[in-house]
Amino acid sequence: MRDAAPGKIFLKDYKPFGYLVDFVHLTFDLSPHATRVTTKIGFRPNPEAEDKTFFLHGEHLKFISATIDGMPVTPLITAEGLTCHVPPHDFVWETVVEIDPANNTALEGLYMSKGMYSTQCEAEGFRKITFYPDRPDVMSVFTVRINGDLPVLLSNGNKVATGPGFAEWHDPWPKPAYLFALVAGELINHPGRFTTKSGRDVELNIWVRPGDEDKCAFAMEALRKSMKWDEDVYGREYDLDIFNIVAVDDFNMGAMENKGLNIFNSSAVLASPETATDLNFERIEAIIAHEYFHNWTGNRITCRDWFQLCLKEGLTVFRDSQFTSDMRSAPVKRIADVIDLRGRQFPEDAGPLAHPVRPESYEEINNFYTATVYEKGAEVIGMLKRLVGDDGYARALDLYFDRHDGQACTIEDWLTVFQDATGRDLSQFKRWYSQAGTPRLTVEESWEGDRYTLTFTQETRPTPHSPDPKPQVIPIAVGLLGPNGDEIQPTTLLEMTDATQSFTFDGIPSKPVPSILRGFSAPVALDRKVSREERAFLLAHDTDPFNRWEAGRALAREILTEGARTGAPLDGDFAEGLRNVLRDDSLDPAYRALMLALPGQSEIAAALHAAGTVPDPMAIWTASETLKDQIARLAEAELATLYEEMQVREPYAPNADQAGRRALRNAALAFLNRRDGAMRARAQYSAADNMTMQLAALGCLLAAGNGVSELEDFYDQWQGERLVLDKWFAIQVMQADPWGAVPTTARLTQHSDFMWQNPNRFRAVFGSLAGNHAGFHAADGAGYRLLADWLIRLDAVNPQTAARMCAAFQTWRHYDAGRQLNARAELERIAATPDLSRDMTEMVGRMLS
Ligand code: TRP
Ligand code: ZN
């Protein structure tokens, strides 16, 4: 049978489990279709718990036997787990079950990927391995024996015994079951070492399938840097003698922080200059850091229940952003994070999938690994840090690690630590965790005598979760510029707590130009009527790099929304402003490349919707093309100069400096390509000796309607490299024009390399379709229909990835009646599919409600 459906789960219903677990001994007898799992658990009644119901989760398990203290018992088994009469004192529980990893296509629990065994237990996958209290507040020490004739047998913790056909692992750190991991296969290791600051010598390994061993060096270096950084910045040391990372081809997400045995999507580990782009390298560095940082924020201190997911994810995303800022460029990282937040989290918060950073109910927890929990969760921590200051933050974090090490905690615990460490009352701040929706901030200014006043008003759209939103604490970083562009008021932090609030600056001799929300100091939508001249002034003079970029971004957004709404020719203000930025050699190339990146078409659609206009995807596409043509024409000289100047002549290295120059060169190429008959792109394609330059050139050729032979050539060159083949699939859909997107996607689904059960390949094709705004939103509904067809097919084998991808429909109500009709029909068709998963049922239900 399919997944069990226990209905809605509520935060307010939390109760501790009736038993404590003193130890867990797991024995795996591996076999592709009949792996035996013998589980021995030391239970003891939990004195803190009133309810002593003995319920163990278990799904899709073939029950063989159960004993209590050696005596056979007959538990009552349902689709969700088992109950049994148990003694009122300590007892040893033992079960034997059988599972079928080879037929596990959901990639949750124990499954097989290309001949290797692997696990994914977060959030609730351990119950597909054995009967267990599968909840994060039940922590225990695990000992694992793996019997199998594969050369590499791995689990959490330290290896305590090994011999032909078996290995035994012991993890001394108590942990919840979601951090359990097992890997077995014919794997090769890329070894490394790290000595911690107190002198512990740690063995590091990255395990990959044969053929991939030459793509591990970068990830190993990233791991060593992460370990050092966490010691230097947070004082956190690694706590085992070995740290293993394994790369797996079939994986639902980026990676998983299992204690001492991180498991990674191979796309988040493997890289060589020839096969990976600069962005791939940067993402790998960030994900390695993220999973490593979880060792303290997630593993040593974990979550009491899944409603507290942001406790570990928001904090760990915040930490990995800090790491990337330190390793690379802080302003560039900040801008990239805000682009991502606006691109993924703002739409979520503005639509039917909106939920608080700490949700209060769910049907399927896998549906809550969202941009809101992760990215907005990280923004909330960034605000907290700004409000209490760097010292306050450092004291609070020390107290957090001190007080809660070894515990399963809540957001209340987290905020209490900050209150205790800094003396600050955070009761109002806590609303950031409980209210959904993006606050909209409007501003009025006045200047009289030498007093300058800024008056802010905040407003949050009511959602079903928060029907009556209250004012939130908003840290607003502000600076003031004088008429000649000098900074007359350096960045100062205003703390807004009321619905409407004024802040005054005295001794301001002339009307200043304000630079508001510097560094994007709060995840709000700043809605301020600003003249084109003022934006251009900020673009030229703002000393805050984020707001300088933001000025250009806002200008481009306004020009595009106006162009899409009226169809009128676009004025050249933005292109003019850009020319100055492009010529400014004092600016980091990576930063200038971000200046050249125009707001995406879905961002324009969202802006139109927010302003009360129904977005027309074709009009947005046309405006966007027009602006690109205009920039290419007006800034051609600057772009051509940059294209030459930014050529990297040293041997390829994936560092921030080189990556920045390549990014700017490729950004220039995309514009020049509109004027030079794709001459440069063709030359760049043939000369490229790394994937960054090769793929960018191919993208330009496809965008220009060329590149047929290069596309074939690329396929021939890379058909043996699955991660590169993903790029080959993706780029064709991304670069297709609005008429070509759906037919191209449909054709690619017929390709013999379209291994649709592999999440990376499925995402390469359908993630790109969803990202091709005008193509996906084709007026005849063909984009919606094609995606729905495949989501229905995928849901039957992998509900988790299918449900994540169906969020592509979340903005469907923003469009015109015809599109709404088409989208609704597809959502209803999905909803009516027999045996639809719980994951999909919840997602589609929320989007239709
Ligand atoms: N904890 C993981 C992370 O953020 C997320 C994750 C990986 C995950 N795989 C998963 C969550 C599968 C749910 C299901 O690093
Ligand atoms: Zn995480």
Side-chain angles (χ1 to χ4, degrees):
M1 70 167 283
R2 302 289 295 269
D3 287 329
K8 238 184 191 175
I9 303 181
F10 293 89
L11 168 59
K12 63 175 165 48
D13 292 342
Y14 173 81
K15 278 192 295 188
F17 185 52
Y19 300 84
L20 301 172
V21 177
D22 288 327
F23 64 85
V24 184
H25 290 248
L26 296 165
T27 305
F28 289 83
D29 294 292
L30 296 177
S31 167
H33 285 288
T35 289
R36 261 193 184 219
V37 187
T38 305
T39 308
K40 209 170 171 176
I41 308 172
F43 280 115
R44 170 162 55 95
N46 179 358
E48 315 261 281
E50 276 167 37
D51 185 347
K52 291 289 191 304
T53 308
F54 186 77
F55 174 76
L56 303 183
H57 297 101
E59 290 175 16
H60 310 284
L61 305 173
K62 183 169 161 199
F63 176 80
I64 308 283
S65 64
T67 63
I68 290 178
D69 292 330
M71 302 293 292
V73 291
T74 310
L76 180 69
I77 298 177
T78 69
E80 285 155 52
L82 64 74
T83 50
C84 193
H85 287 292
V86 297
H89 48 75
D90 317 11
F91 60 95
V92 175
W93 166 268
E94 193 169 329
T95 51
V96 180
V97 301
E98 217 173 80
I99 52 180
D100 183 356
N103 274 327
N104 179 351
T105 56
L107 314 180
E108 200 183 47
L110 178 67
Y111 64 94
M112 296 196 77
S113 169
K114 304 225 175 82
M116 87 192 243
Y117 293 84
S118 182
T119 54
Q120 173 54 42
C121 293
E122 187 176 4
E124 300 180 332
F126 194 70
R127 63 190 63 183
K128 295 182 172 178
I129 293 175
T130 187
F131 290 103
Y132 196 77
D134 186 10
R135 37 188 292 169
D137 59 344
V138 174
M139 299 170 80
S140 185
V141 173
F142 283 62
T143 306
V144 179
R145 184 185 166 101
I146 311 169
N147 299 319
D149 56 6
L150 288 158
V152 178
L153 304 170
L154 306 173
S155 191
N156 315 86
N158 299 314
K159 196 192 267 190
V160 287
T162 180
F166 85 96
E168 222 171 275
W169 293 81
H170 177 76
D171 180 2
W173 298 103
K175 65 167 176 290
Y178 83 85
L179 292 172
F180 166 80
L182 177 155
V183 167
E186 270 168 53
L187 299 169
I188 302 185
N189 74 324
H190 178 105
R193 299 211 81 81
F194 182 81
T195 307
T196 69
K197 64 176 178 177
S198 69
R200 184 196 284 265
D201 191 21
V202 185
E203 174 188 334
L204 311 175
N205 291 301
I206 298 180
W207 297 93
V208 296
R209 296 197 306 128
D212 289 336
E213 58 275 23
D214 56 340
K215 300 197 190 73
C216 302
F218 180 81
M220 179 59 79
E221 226 13 68
L223 174 61
R224 291 164 41 78
K225 285 185 198 160
S226 307
M227 296 176 86
K228 177 78 168 62
W229 186 90
D230 213 13
E231 292 186 347
D232 292 348
V233 179
Y234 280 83
R236 298 293 112 203
E237 241 183 285
Y238 188 59
D239 54 5
L240 291 167
D241 301 329
I242 183 165
F243 188 83
N244 285 313
I245 287 177
V246 180
V248 187
D249 282 346
D250 299 284
F251 202 73
N252 282 333
M253 309 258 282
M256 179 63 212
E257 69 265 24
N258 318 298
K259 184 77 187 191
L261 177 53
N262 288 1
I263 299 182
F264 275 61
N265 187 320
S266 52
S267 76
V269 197
L270 303 178
S272 70
E274 294 74 29
T275 59
T277 65
D278 289 324
L279 281 174
N280 295 150
F281 278 102
E282 186 176 332
R283 174 171 176 265
I284 288 168
E285 187 176 85
I287 298 183
I288 293 267
H290 180 97
E291 306 310 331
Y292 176 72
F293 297 159
H294 268 314
N295 191 53
W296 275 94
T297 52
N299 301 3
R300 288 287 286 261
I301 304 179
T302 192
C303 304
R304 187 193 72 173
D305 54 66
W306 292 118
F307 296 104
Q308 321 295 330
L309 183 58
C310 66
L311 179 77
K312 73 177 177 81
E313 295 304 346
L315 177 54
T316 306
V317 171
F318 181 70
R319 276 152 49 72
D320 84 54
S321 297
Q322 287 181 299
F323 170 77
T324 298
S325 304
D326 286 354
M327 295 297 124
R328 293 166 182 259
S329 149
V332 167
K333 172 63 174 163
R334 187 64 189 137
I335 293 167
D337 280 351
V338 174
I339 291 175
D340 180 63
L341 189 78
R342 287 186 178 144
R344 298 191 303 119
Q345 199 279 325
F346 279 24
E348 187 168 274
D349 236 350
L353 300 179
H355 55 275
V357 170
R358 182 173 69 176
E360 274 147 31
S361 70
Y362 61 76
E363 284 171 59
E364 170 51 62
I365 186 58
N366 283 335
N367 289 335
F368 286 82
Y369 286 75
T370 59
T372 297
V373 169
Y374 276 65
E375 273 72 36
K376 190 176 178 183
E379 291 298 320
V380 170
I381 290 170
M383 285 190 286
L384 201 48
K385 181 162 180 280
R386 267 183 202 271
L387 289 170
V388 303
D390 292 353
D391 289 351
Y393 179 80
R395 268 183 281 120
L397 268 285
D398 285 345
L399 181 59
Y400 180 62
F401 294 122
D402 241 40
R403 184 184 283 178
H404 293 297
D405 187 12
Q407 297 178 2
C409 294
T410 61
I411 289 304
E412 282 73 17
D413 295 327
W414 166 253
L415 289 176
T416 302
V417 158
F418 273 79
Q419 296 195 158
D420 292 352
T422 67
R424 200 188 160 100
D425 176 6
L426 292 169
S427 39
Q428 186 186 2
F429 186 81
K430 198 178 171 191
R431 289 179 188 154
W432 279 107
Y433 287 98
S434 59
Q435 293 188 170
T438 305
R440 187 157 288 274
L441 198 60
T442 51
V443 195
E444 270 168 42
E445 55 177 328
S446 76
W447 178 69
E448 272 168 55
D450 64 355
R451 168 169 286 193
Y452 180 68
T453 305
L454 285 171
T455 302
F456 295 94
T457 301
Q458 58 169 302
E459 202 189 329
T460 302
R461 166 187 84 101
T463 57
H465 308 86
S466 343
D468 180 24
K470 304 272 185 310
Q472 289 171 210
V473 183
I474 303 182
I476 308 171
V478 169
L480 301 177
L481 302 177
N484 57 1
D486 292 346
E487 188 163 74
I488 53 175
Q489 166 68 58
T491 306
T492 178
L493 192 70
L494 312 177
E495 295 184 19
M496 182 183 191
T497 51
D498 301 341
T500 296
Q501 201 169 341
S502 296
F503 300 87
T504 58
F505 300 84
D506 286 318
I508 308 293
S510 50
K511 186 171 189 299
V513 173
S515 166
I516 298 171
L517 211 66
R518 283 186 158 179
F520 201 66
S521 59
V524 300
L526 181 61
D527 190 357
R528 177 165 171 260
K529 296 281 157 288
V530 181
S531 67
R532 293 272 164 94
E533 293 70 44
E534 193 171 321
R535 294 232 196 268
F537 179 87
L538 288 169
L539 177 59
H541 299 293
D542 204 325
T543 53
D544 180 68
F546 176 82
N547 263 6
R548 188 169 180 191
W549 169 82
E550 178 81 326
R553 186 77 167 188
L555 200 52
R557 197 185 304 122
E558 273 169 22
I559 290 170
L560 285 172
T561 45
E562 200 175 296
R565 185 162 39 211
T566 63
L570 311 175
D571 75 45
D573 289 9
F574 178 63
E576 276 310 314
L578 260 188
R579 294 177 63 188
N580 295 323
V581 171
L582 294 179
R583 275 196 294 260
D584 186 347
D585 289 331
S586 72
L587 295 174
D588 179 2
Y591 181 79
R592 281 184 278 170
L594 283 172
M595 285 280 188
L596 275 176
L598 301 182
Q601 292 164 46
S602 54
E603 184 175 334
I604 301 307
L608 284 166
H609 171 73
T613 307
V614 175
D616 173 352
M618 281 311 296
I620 295 172
W621 180 80
T622 306
S624 176
E625 289 294 303
T626 309
L627 182 59
K628 288 176 190 165
D629 281 340
Q630 189 186 57
I631 292 167
R633 183 161 38 81
L634 296 177
E636 186 168 7
E638 287 82 2
L639 291 163
T641 306
L642 280 180
Y643 187 75
E644 294 313 315
E645 285 175 3
M646 291 299 135
Q647 190 162 356
V648 174
R649 293 176 202 282
E650 316 91 85
Y652 181 95
N655 58 42
D657 167 56
Q658 280 195 19
R661 283 183 279 154
R662 278 187 290 269
L664 185 51
R665 187 165 207 242
N666 283 332
L669 178 69
F671 289 102
L672 293 166
N673 192 50
R674 295 170 174 268
R675 312 216 29 101
D676 70 1
M679 175 267 287
R680 288 182 183 83
R682 200 161 282 122
Q684 179 171 316
Y685 183 88
S686 356
D689 64 357
N690 64 75
M691 183 51 65
T692 307
M693 299 314 275
Q694 189 181 13
L695 192 65
L698 181 61
C700 286
L701 291 169
L702 293 174
N706 288 310
V708 178
S709 70
E710 284 84 356
L711 199 59
E712 270 175 37
D713 167 86
F714 190 94
Y715 178 83
D716 291 342
Q717 185 183 356
W718 296 119
Q719 55 176 314
E721 294 279 352
R722 43 214 194 282
L723 295 173
V724 184
L725 219 47
D726 290 336
K727 301 182 197 306
W728 181 84
F729 274 94
I731 200 163
Q732 298 181 61
V733 181
M734 289 190 302
Q735 297 296 348
D737 65 27
W739 304 271
V742 174
T744 301
T745 307
R747 181 169 49 73
L748 288 173
T749 62
Q750 303 304 309
H751 196 280
S752 60
D753 287 306
F754 183 58
M755 308 299 181
W756 60 274
Q757 298 202 20
N758 174 267
N760 290 359
R761 191 63 45 89
F762 192 95
R763 278 189 286 258
V765 172
F766 285 102
S768 302
L769 176 62
N772 188 319
H773 185 256
F776 177 58
H777 292 286
D780 63 0
Y784 303 153
R785 205 171 314 124
L786 185 60
L787 180 61
D789 284 346
W790 281 90
L791 290 178
I792 289 169
R793 188 185 291 204
L794 184 64
D795 187 57
V797 302
N798 185 339
Q800 196 181 328
T801 290
R804 286 184 79 76
M805 304 232 18
C806 89
F809 284 102
Q810 69 180 325
T811 56
W812 70 278
R813 281 200 169 91
H814 296 181
Y815 296 89
D816 55 86
R819 284 185 172 84
Q820 284 194 35
L821 211 62
N822 290 330
R824 176 189 285 282
E826 296 310 321
L827 287 168
E828 285 173 348
R829 182 161 68 94
I830 296 172
T833 304
D835 285 335
L836 196 70
S837 69
R838 175 164 79 220
D839 311 54
M840 268 298 227
T841 305
E842 181 184 27
M843 291 295 277
V844 176
R846 285 158 73 198
M847 286 191 283
L848 282 171
S849 74

